[in-house]
Amino acid sequence: MKVAIYVRVSSEHQAEKELSIPAQMKAIQQYCQERGHIIVNEFIEKGKSAKTDDRPEFQKMIAIAKRSSRPFEAILVHKFDRFSRNRDDHVIYKSLLAKVGVKVFSVIEQTEAETPQDKLLEGMLEIMSEFFNANLAVEVRKGMSQNAKQGYNNGGTPPYGYRTEHIAMKAQKTKAVWVLGSREEIDIVRYIFNQYAYEGMGYTKIASELNRQQIPSQKGGTWSSSTIRAIIFNEAYIGRRCWNKQEYQTKGVKWRDRSEWIIKDNAHPPIITTEVFEACQAKAKERQNGGGETHKSYDRKPSPPFWLRGIMTCDKCGTPMVGNSTSSKVKGGKRQYYVCGGYLRKGKEYCPYVGWNKEKVEEIVANRMRIALMRLLMNDNLENELKQHYMDSNHHKVAQKVNLENEIDFLTKRIQLLEQDMLAGKSKSYHKEMLDEMQSDLAHKAGEHARLSANWVEFDMSEEVIAAIRYDIQTFLGLLDQEIMNPQLLHTMARKYISKLTVNRDTGKLYLTIQIAGEEAVLYEKTMVSDWQ
């Protein structure tokens, strides 16, 4: 039976133990050898949890399995929890695969799922795996909650002005705590709070002043208004530790109600007084700029309509462009633009203002993408273009190889002529020395040519990889042609295929670079230029 194997680890801890990728591969390969199975595909997932189906290699495997031309008949995993730890996902994807005739087998948990008993056993294994995963998460959070209640740190980078130190506990254990950082950083934190509370300076002005003084931010870069705002509302600066503020399942997107927070006063030394902190909160409310809250409640909102956000960059400073909407009160109603993110966060001192009409940018980009991608799908253009890019990327090696071959041919002929003259008695006194030099030069160039040839790899791309690229391109074109566009899906695909997008405000030209990237190298790249005017 022809099989595809799927292996996965979700953490470095697993990678170092028996669940490592090499260990899973070895067990699967031995299983296949004993039963005569042939491995035709390998899907390797590194550092991805199986609690969700948001796994690139997993989705690639499912997409290939759904094709009528799939090269495998079954999927083989080390244990069923490598396939999925979520019961719903497990049932859904196994059912989908069963409909197209693809089975899922486990090396360790061997069930054929044909008899009622086997189906019951497999279902129990899946439920146990999901229970283990959920129970482990509960136990971990219990420990972290207790840690937070005692004022200890649960990980992460401390705020600007603090450092992490580890204190010794019993049984050779340590706990992380925050301590005061450098004197310079403490003074800067107090400066920020005082300027905001008592000197009438806002986030942008404070950031601009710190940048003017060339004071580096926590990461060593420049300050932004969002960074200043985060400091103003951070209760850590009055010695208060707040944990459990956000839903970890949503990766910090959803905020919990404050009643669910774990708050510990006097967890670490304060940098400012409570009076100064509260003065800043009151000032934020007066400014009516969205401040006055230590957190914002979570409301599920539709995806941002700007599907080129973060992909398009400013031609002056290189900062990603972000979406921005004007007030609906302006003439003609609400208007939407792509604006330099550096300007919005740091002000005109960082970058002069420029905004590009959203509809026009997206229309130009969508049209150019359609033309370029449809051309790749015609006949064998995709494979030919990939091969041509490979040759162009390695043209220096090709040229070097050809030059060496010409030089070797030339030296070989010269040596032959010289040897003939010497045999015929026509040689001069210096001919022997010339012959030795040319033979030495020939040996050197021949060796260099051999090394270059040994390292040269001819273009070789499997039909499976080309088919996967073709499938992705067709998906992107389908999204572009939808009557009602899906900005989030378009944004995901655009990030995958657009490596550079900018409008030069001096020349009035839009530059769009399409790129197809492999795991280790760029497989295809093309830059197109369009008139903005």
Side-chain angles (χ1 to χ4, degrees), residues 23-90:
Q24 293 179 54
M25 293 282 285
K26 184 178 179 180
I28 292 173
Q29 288 167 355
Q30 184 177 349
Y31 179 90
C32 290
Q33 287 176 0
E34 293 172 354
R35 289 160 176 76
H37 298 327
I38 301 172
I39 300 173
V40 295
N41 291 88
E42 295 179 357
F43 301 94
I44 301 174
E45 207 90 65
K46 298 179 181 179
K48 291 290 183 180
S49 169
K51 289 186 287 186
T52 73
D53 60 354
D54 185 16
R55 291 169 271 153
E57 286 298 306
F58 181 83
Q59 289 298 336
K60 179 181 176 182
M61 176 181 69
I62 298 297
I64 293 174
K66 289 163 63 178
R67 299 176 193 155
S68 59
S69 59
R70 59 185 169 275
F72 52 83
E73 305 165 68
I75 294 171
L76 194 57
V77 295
H78 184 251
K79 293 178 66 178
F80 286 125
D81 64 2
R82 300 299 91 192
F83 186 79
S84 176
R85 282 187 181 272
N86 182 290
R87 174 65 177 160
D88 291 341
D89 285 346
H90 201 111

Side-chain angles (χ1 to χ4, degrees), residues 187-199:
D187 289 341
I188 290 168
V189 170
R190 289 171 177 165
Y191 168 82
I192 291 171
F193 277 96
N194 281 315
Q195 294 301 112
Y196 189 82
Y198 306 119
E199 301 299 329

Side-chain angles (χ1 to χ4, degrees), residues 140-155 169 174-176 241 243 262 264:
V140 169
R141 286 193 63 80
K142 279 184 182 178
M144 295 177 75
S145 297
Q146 188 62 30
N147 213 40
K149 289 176 181 177
Q150 296 174 1
Y152 297 122
N153 184 32
N154 278 322
M169 308 295 286
T174 61
K175 294 284 188 179
R241 175 68 58 84
W243 188 75
I262 295 176
K264 174 67 175 177

